Amino acid sequence: MGRIMDNLESRCIRSGLKMTDQRRTILKVLEGAEDHPSVEMVYERARSQNPSISMATVYRTLNLLDELGVVIRHDFKENFSRYELNAEHHDHLIDLETGDVIEFQDGELEAIKERIAREMGYDLVDHRLELYGKRKRS
Amino acid sequence: MGRIMDNLESRCIRSGLKMTDQRRTILKVLEGAEDHPSVEMVYERARSQNPSISMATVYRTLNLLDELGVVIRHDFKENFSRYELNAEHHDHLIDLETGDVIEFQDGELEAIKERIAREMGYDLVDHRLELYGKRKRS
DNA sequence: CTAGCTGCAAAACATTTGCATTTCG
DNA sequence: CGAAATGCAAATGTTTTGCAGCTAG
């Protein structure tokens, strides 16, 4: 540990955030997450490490981190949001049967997105691509 | 008119839906929409043609139409849903400055989406691609 | 010390639902 | 007539916020 967390922490501090226990805990939860946790999940995991943390703080913190670009907020076809640390760009494939979220990256795809935006007279600021599928039988 | 609406209506009837004034009005609103209206907007437009229509009915109807595949529900990066008639497939570019939603279609892109899902061992059931951009200057 | 955080509970929003009544077929 | 649809108001689930007290820097 240490390396990544320090980077995260210092990035937050450089952005003018105060480092409280709650925030440190939330960052640690995000760091350790191998999935794309919902706010509820971040809350529960944080709470198990540090019971004195409230839902409101989790929401406020995730919103801040999102604005700073430290995390990415996802709104898949569900009625709640999920978050993940903002690492290298990738897209998502959602398994419709299990709800699993699988990451993937495809250079050709990235190039095409850029091209399309450009052709339409736009600078691409952000984008999202989600594939929803069922595991192939046989 | 007539042609499209009859198709819509008969499609609904064939699916076992009763054709009420409210539903006819909502279908007409969707037919006339050149944008991607929110539920609130569908409600207001429907209401101006037929004041005896309630929000609950708009929600219930749009959900039904979505299940039947008559409309497509979009959840862009906003905190509400938008709907449009289910015509030929296309993706969306959202203008971050004006909020305008622009449709586009790109065959190469479609092929790549299929390929990626296949390579990962999935059958593509649904997908969404949204580009968020700012109009190029100069 | 004090701007910024926090917890709590209440509010805000979009959306759904229970129920009594009306309507389509 | 009977199943399905409607309006209304209340309930829901997620996310936000006002406020008084706490804490990092």
Side-chain angles (χ1 to χ4, degrees):
Chain A
M1 54 174 275
R3 183 82 111 302
I4 296 173
M5 208 180 106
D6 285 349
N7 282 340
L8 275 182
E9 276 202 30
S10 17
R11 187 158 168 203
C12 292
I13 291 167
R14 257 182 278 119
S15 301
L17 298 194
K18 283 188 182 175
M19 278 312 305
T20 62
D21 278 357
Q22 290 90 331
R23 286 180 178 172
R24 246 185 291 269
T25 305
I26 291 172
L27 287 177
K28 209 188 299 179
V29 166
L30 292 171
E31 233 191 319
E34 308 216 323
D35 49 356
H36 300 69
S38 61
V39 182
E40 184 74 34
M41 282 185 157
V42 173
Y43 171 62
E44 278 166 20
R45 294 178 195 172
R47 191 157 241 264
S48 76
Q49 295 186 218
N50 177 354
S52 78
I53 210 170
S54 74
M55 206 48 184
T57 296
V58 176
Y59 270 104
R60 280 189 278 231
T61 302
L62 290 174
N63 279 341
L64 277 172
L65 296 178
D66 183 29
E67 279 163 31
L68 296 183
V70 172
V71 302
I72 299 282
R73 170 184 175 153
H74 295 295
D75 292 284
F76 298 138
K77 298 192 175 186
E78 301 169 310
N79 52 331
F80 55 84
S81 299
R82 293 170 178 264
Y83 290 84
E84 68 173 324
L85 282 182
N86 185 2
E88 200 182 357
H89 171 71
H90 55 256
D91 296 305
H92 299 89
L93 186 154
I94 292 92
D95 185 318
L96 287 170
E97 291 166 324
T98 67
D100 290 349
V101 177
I102 302 156
E103 303 178 352
F104 68 87
Q105 220 287 330
D106 189 289
E108 195 181 347
L109 196 56
E110 298 305 312
I112 291 181
K113 289 189 246 188
E114 286 285 356
R115 168 177 65 69
I116 292 174
R118 190 170 358 99
E119 282 175 5
M120 295 176 72
Y122 278 82
D123 283 324
L124 195 55
V125 173
D126 189 13
H127 65 266
R128 83 170 154 192
L129 169 65
E130 289 149 25
L131 304 182
Y132 294 83
K134 288 194 212 284
R135 179 133 228 129
K136 245 185 272 185
R137 310 288 175 195
S138 79
Chain B
M1 53 172 277
R3 180 80 113 305
I4 296 173
M5 208 180 107
D6 285 349
N7 282 340
L8 274 183
E9 277 203 31
S10 18
R11 185 157 170 205
C12 292
I13 291 167
R14 260 182 276 118
S15 302
L17 297 194
K18 283 188 182 175
M19 278 312 305
T20 62
D21 278 359
Q22 290 89 332
R23 287 180 177 172
R24 248 185 290 272
T25 306
I26 291 172
L27 287 176
K28 209 187 300 177
V29 166
L30 292 171
E31 235 192 317
E34 309 215 323
D35 50 357
H36 300 68
S38 61
V39 181
E40 185 74 35
M41 280 183 159
V42 173
Y43 171 63
E44 276 167 22
R45 293 178 196 173
R47 191 157 240 266
S48 76
Q49 295 185 218
N50 176 354
S52 79
I53 211 171
S54 73
M55 208 47 183
T57 294
V58 177
Y59 270 104
R60 278 189 279 233
T61 303
L62 290 174
N63 279 342
L64 277 172
L65 296 177
D66 184 29
E67 280 163 29
L68 296 183
V70 172
V71 302
I72 298 281
R73 170 184 174 152
H74 294 295
D75 292 284
F76 300 138
K77 298 189 176 189
E78 301 170 310
N79 52 331
F80 56 84
S81 299
R82 293 170 176 266
Y83 290 83
E84 70 174 322
L85 283 181
N86 185 1
E88 200 181 0
H89 171 72
H90 55 256
D91 295 304
H92 299 88
L93 187 154
I94 293 92
D95 185 317
L96 287 170
E97 289 165 326
T98 66
D100 290 350
V101 177
I102 302 155
E103 304 177 353
F104 68 87
Q105 219 287 330
D106 188 289
E108 195 181 347
L109 196 57
E110 298 305 312
I112 291 181
K113 290 189 245 189
E114 287 286 355
R115 168 176 68 68
I116 292 175
R118 189 168 2 96
E119 283 174 2
M120 295 177 72
Y122 278 83
D123 283 324
L124 195 57
V125 173
D126 189 14
H127 64 265
R128 79 171 159 196
L129 169 66
E130 288 149 25
L131 304 182
Y132 294 82
K134 288 196 212 286
R135 179 133 229 129
K136 244 183 275 186
R137 311 289 175 194
S138 82

